[in-house]
Amino acid sequence: LDPAQPDSRLRQLISESGLTTGVATDADTAHFETLGLTVVRADADRPTAERAAAQPGEAAYVLYTSGSTGTPK
């Protein structure tokens, strides 16, 4: 999600996609939390995972685009 988008647009994307959790930097965490998301901080220190490759059934990211219609799909 682009935090520069209007909140009404972000709420629409969150609602239509069923999004509940997002990844954001500290600078955007509070904004996304006010939109009802659980935020995983991208800039927080964490131990490095031993297994770096995603496994089947594990989401890495979701591409949600409106293309030329302006309506997300």
Side-chain angles (χ1 to χ4, degrees):
L1 297 173
D2 181 352
Q5 291 288 312
D7 283 356
S8 59
R9 176 71 168 150
L10 294 173
R11 283 189 182 91
Q12 176 188 13
L13 293 171
I14 291 166
S15 175
E16 290 179 2
S17 68
L19 186 65
T20 60
T21 304
V23 179
T25 62
D26 183 52
D28 296 317
T29 294
H31 183 203
F32 289 130
E33 287 175 339
T34 64
L35 296 171
L37 294 177
T38 299
V39 177
V40 175
R41 289 251 325 274
D43 53 355
D45 289 333
R46 291 187 176 71
T48 304
E50 300 235 354
R51 185 187 89 229
Q55 299 298 311
E58 295 178 341
Y61 68 91
V62 175
L63 182 61
Y64 192 73
T65 181
S66 61
S68 60
T69 67
T71 303
K73 48 190 166 291

